[in-house]
Amino acid sequence: MTIENEPQPTKFKPGQNAEAPDKPKTEQFDLEKTGKGESSFSGQEQEEERKEKIALVREKIRTSGQDEEDLIEGGSLREASSSGPVLLAETDKELILKFSSSAESQLAKNYQPGFGVFPSANPDENFYEQLWTRDFSHAASNYLAEARPEALKDSLATIFSHQRRDGALPLRVERQYMILKLIPGLRRLAKPVFNIIEKGIRGRQERPVYEGQDFSSAEDTVPSAIIAAGEFFINSPGGREFVEQNFDKIKKAVEYFKTKVDQNDGLASVKSMNADWADSINRGGKLGGINVLWARSLRLMSFMASRLGRKEEATAYRDQFRLTKKSIMEKLYDVSGAYFRAEEGQDRVDTAASVLGSLYLLDSTECVRVQESLNNRVSTNSGLKNFDPPYPASQIMWPHKLIGHEGYHNKYVWPWVTCENIRVKIKIALEHPEKTVRMQYKTEAVSDLLNIARLFDNAGGAYEIFQPDTRKPAITRWYKPPRNFMGNLVAYEGAYLQLKKLGWV
């Protein structure tokens, strides 16, 4: 509830200094002269022109299933650039570099050779010595494929070593009990109890946890693992070797996931539980996020099969990708609103799905429309929030209610989403046909990275979640988020490395 006349926090806007919004701009380009803030459908446009533009977009989307454009570059670092760096104050340059060095140092602690990477590098925090497939996939796309291929290989090897006979992959593999980690007062027992039960009684070094176990459905596991394998394949000779040796296992995982897919439209339809990364929220059916990942994994399967000489399989995967993409654009993409829906039939913005969908499924001109929608609907002082509108309390998992964290995925800001969005802005800055738009988004990409560096620097770490308005970590009595969450570190570092390679920072 807003109190009348009470000063409200300044919303985070791309290209703006969230700490001091009135600070004079030091960027090389004056955004006010490059069209910043002018919507593709401003209030001054005639309604007929607006309808005509939407009709053109609908027609383009309707026929997009037939395009032959190769979308593989979506997850790789890009090098094509025809302009110099964005002009920044020296103190700002130093801050960006300072946090990049800190992130690199922290990420070295997240990796255990022979096992893989885990979301938290502090033994006393949640998620230590736990390899989460989706977190690992995110790290592979943003950082590991480029900077740490050995960590990527070990993680993939661990995941596939626990593949079930039916093709299912573990949502996580742990060497400490997650459940005990999450209970205040018992977290120090997570390792010794694990050693007694798993090592002593069951005689195994690690425990795989599958979909449906420990309160987690996690039905996005398979497409996440396929995406990680695809990034490895694209970026490293070792990745090609790994995929070639394990292609039948990878294919088996895809076949398992197909049991969730509606053969009429190619979309995954998952059971009603906590099905994806926003696993504190009970929701099912045809979800935006999972299906964007599914489409990406199919495209990568086609690419890998083609490069390995499996032509028939490559064609089959490509056809599946086209069907899935077409259905996503028809059923899960809101053309008028320019966003990807959280669920089929709902008018709820899924920010992560909109960001990843922009990277993998949209051209640069449509990406601009999505950026404008995200600006208007999910921007906060700390970055991009996850959903608009948020889910009702009735759909929040009871353990999160118990610890007073109803807003965990629902209302708090996860900085990795904002960092991922920097990659979308880089895509626009490289591919958009209009120079003024390219310059605008180039500058916004750098400015957003600077804002995130300030967020982490002021908080004293890349905390897992932040309050949307105060720019403070979302710490409660019963839950303290990891201080240097791997998802945030790799997304920041991935954006920084790409901007550095382009010569923009």
Side-chain angles (χ1 to χ4, degrees):
M1 180 176 68
T2 301
I3 300 175
E4 189 175 0
N5 298 325
E6 181 182 13
Q8 298 300 304
T10 302
K11 289 178 71 176
F12 172 89
K13 292 294 184 182
Q16 181 187 71
N17 179 346
E19 303 288 300
D22 296 326
K23 178 182 176 181
K25 294 183 178 70
T26 58
E27 287 87 345
Q28 186 173 0
F29 307 105
D30 187 341
L31 299 185
E32 293 180 359
K33 295 180 180 179
T34 60
K36 175 175 170 52
E38 295 178 5
S39 170
S40 297
F41 300 130
S42 69
Q44 297 178 356
E45 284 186 290
Q46 297 295 321
E47 182 64 17
E48 293 77 9
E49 183 179 358
R50 178 180 180 277
K51 289 180 179 179
E52 182 180 351
K53 286 186 176 182
I54 289 179
L56 289 172
V57 171
R58 288 187 189 278
E59 177 62 20
K60 186 173 183 180
I61 288 171
R62 187 185 68 79
T63 60
S64 64
Q66 301 302 315
D67 74 59
E68 293 292 334
E69 182 181 1
D70 195 328
L71 301 177
I72 295 303
E73 76 277 7
S76 305
L77 298 188
R78 312 282 291 280
E79 297 188 56
S81 176
S82 59
S83 56
V86 171
L87 185 62
L88 295 171
E90 285 302 317
T91 53
D92 291 340
K93 289 182 183 178
E94 290 171 1
L95 181 59
I96 289 174
L97 179 59
K98 170 188 171 183
F99 192 78
S100 173
S101 299
S102 173
E104 189 173 358
S105 175
Q106 289 293 332
L107 286 169
K109 303 174 186 176
N110 286 71
Y111 168 50
Q112 196 171 94
F115 178 52
V117 297
F118 23 93
S120 174
N122 186 336
D124 294 330
E125 291 183 331
N126 309 312
F127 316 124
Y128 185 74
E129 283 196 318
Q130 295 167 9
L131 169 58
W132 287 76
T133 301
R134 69 166 72 97
D135 294 67
F136 154 66
S137 174
H138 177 62
S141 300
N142 283 276
Y143 180 68
L144 299 179
E146 180 80 6
R148 300 293 297 279
E150 74 284 356
L152 198 164
K153 182 178 180 180
D154 281 353
S155 302
L156 272 178
T158 295
I159 290 168
F160 277 94
S161 71
H162 293 290
Q163 186 173 31
R164 287 193 325 213
R165 290 184 179 180
D166 62 0
L169 298 173
L171 66 97
R172 75 173 184 272
V173 181
E174 60 186 15
R175 291 184 170 179
Q176 294 189 24
Y177 285 130
M178 186 200 74
I179 298 299
L180 292 181
K181 274 284 190 179
L182 294 176
I183 301 175
L186 297 182
R187 62 181 56 194
R188 293 189 180 277
L189 298 178
K191 183 68 172 180
V193 173
F194 183 94
N195 289 340
I196 293 171
I197 296 176
E198 301 298 335
K199 290 185 178 181
I201 298 175
R202 294 175 177 163
R204 59 184 182 181
Q205 296 294 311
E206 54 203 27
R207 173 186 180 237
V209 180
Y210 299 92
E211 172 191 319
Q213 295 180 317
D214 289 2
F215 309 107
S216 297
S217 290
E219 300 194 43
D220 57 348
T221 292
V222 168
S224 296
I226 304 308
I227 290 170
E231 295 292 348
F232 195 22
F233 185 95
I234 293 169
N235 287 281
S236 169
R240 182 185 177 101
E241 180 182 0
F242 179 90
V243 170
E244 191 167 14
Q245 292 174 352
N246 293 276
F247 193 83
D248 288 339
K249 290 183 178 181
I250 296 172
K251 181 179 176 181
K252 189 175 182 180
V254 173
E255 292 303 313
Y256 168 80
F257 191 81
K258 283 183 184 178
T259 62
K260 308 174 189 295
V261 173
D262 183 337
Q263 298 305 309
N264 294 315
D265 60 13
L267 296 178
S269 182
V270 299
K271 61 189 178 184
S272 182
M273 266 296 283
N274 45 338
D276 64 358
W277 81 273
D279 58 9
S280 65
I281 303 171
N282 282 326
R283 57 203 185 109
K286 295 177 181 179
L287 305 181
I290 286 180
N291 278 291
V292 167
L293 295 179
W294 173 230
R296 177 63 173 169
S297 67
L298 287 170
R299 185 65 193 92
L300 288 167
M301 285 297 294
S302 176
F303 179 80
M304 292 186 290
S306 177
R307 293 299 187 271
L308 294 176
R310 296 172 175 249
K311 300 301 182 182
E312 291 185 5
E313 290 167 306
T315 299
Y317 287 128
R318 186 64 182 253
D319 289 344
Q320 285 180 293
F321 163 72
R322 288 173 176 165
L323 174 61
T324 301
K325 177 183 175 181
K326 180 175 182 292
S327 297
I328 288 173
M329 302 311 294
E330 290 177 350
K331 299 180 179 182
L332 293 171
Y333 184 68
D334 187 297
V335 179
S336 299
Y339 63 87
F340 285 84
R341 297 185 176 99
E343 304 176 42
E344 182 185 15
Q346 289 194 0
D347 295 327
R348 177 177 281 110
V349 175
D350 185 325
T351 305
S354 297
V355 170
L356 295 176
S358 295
L359 278 175
Y360 301 146
L361 303 176
L362 302 181
D363 66 20
S364 60
T365 55
E366 191 66 9
C367 285
V368 171
R369 295 188 62 236
V370 174
Q371 289 301 301
E372 292 166 354
S373 294
L374 297 182
N375 240 0
N376 292 331
R377 295 193 59 173
V378 297
S379 287
T380 77
N381 196 35
S382 299
L384 302 177
K385 62 182 179 181
N386 294 333
F387 300 105
D388 182 57
Y391 280 89
S394 60
Q395 287 185 248
I396 306 302
M397 286 279 289
W398 67 264
H400 293 271
K401 293 181 181 179
L402 186 64
I403 63 174
H405 245 293
E406 294 91 340
Y408 188 57
H409 292 103
N410 204 27
K411 295 180 181 179
Y412 295 137
V413 169
W414 294 65
W416 70 262
V417 178
T418 303
C419 289
E420 279 279 7
N421 196 50
I422 294 173
R423 297 170 64 201
V424 180
K425 295 190 175 187
I426 292 171
K427 175 179 177 175
I428 296 170
L430 291 173
E431 299 177 7
H432 199 277
E434 296 181 23
K435 182 177 180 180
T436 54
V437 176
R438 294 197 302 271
M439 294 300 99
Q440 171 189 335
Y441 280 92
K442 169 184 174 179
T443 305
E444 287 191 13
V446 175
S447 296
D448 288 2
L449 188 73
L450 176 60
N451 264 298
I452 292 294
R454 287 199 181 106
L455 179 75
F456 293 157
D457 188 59
N458 291 338
Y463 281 91
E464 178 190 34
I465 45 179
F466 282 78
Q467 297 282 358
D469 296 327
T470 65
R471 291 175 67 87
K472 293 181 179 180
I475 299 173
T476 68
R477 178 183 179 185
W478 300 111
Y479 185 79
K480 182 177 180 181
R483 182 179 178 185
N484 283 294
F485 185 59
M486 182 181 70
N488 294 338
L489 295 174
V490 296
Y492 178 94
E493 194 67 356
Y496 170 75
L497 289 174
Q498 186 161 353
L499 291 168
K500 183 180 178 181
K501 181 174 281 191
L502 291 166
W504 296 352
V505 293

